[in-house]
Amino acid sequence: MVTCHLRYIIDPYKLKEFEYYGKLWIPLVEKFGGKHHGYFLPSEGANNVALAMFTFPSLAEYEQYREKSLQDTACIAAFKYAEETKCIISYERTFFRPAFNA
């Protein structure tokens, strides 16, 4: 299992646009076999940082999702929406693996 953690720097004046963007991606990740854990929007503290996390059974399945998302019309539309609204300034992607109690 691999969990992708995304840390976004967003335009705080375009929070509604970013929230809409995030809501587009939740079902798209699940369409390709992932489990989305949600988008986390600014509340207290920094007003320009948002997070997202989703899990795939393996890194190979995540990579397949990435390839397929580049060909999927709904994913392409979501990418285009973010580009047009400029709600995302930058992002970083980190991968984690779980450690469970034995």
Side-chain angles (χ1 to χ4, degrees), residues 26-39:
I26 292 170
L28 293 174
V29 166
E30 295 187 352
K31 171 182 174 179
F32 291 103
K35 170 65 179 149
H36 211 294
H37 307 294
Y39 277 78

Side-chain angles (χ1 to χ4, degrees), residues 64-81:
Q64 290 172 359
Y65 146 75
R66 291 281 294 162
E67 286 180 29
K68 290 177 183 176
S69 73
L70 297 174
Q71 307 303 318
D72 183 82
T73 56
C75 294
I76 293 167
F79 288 130
K80 187 175 180 178
Y81 176 81

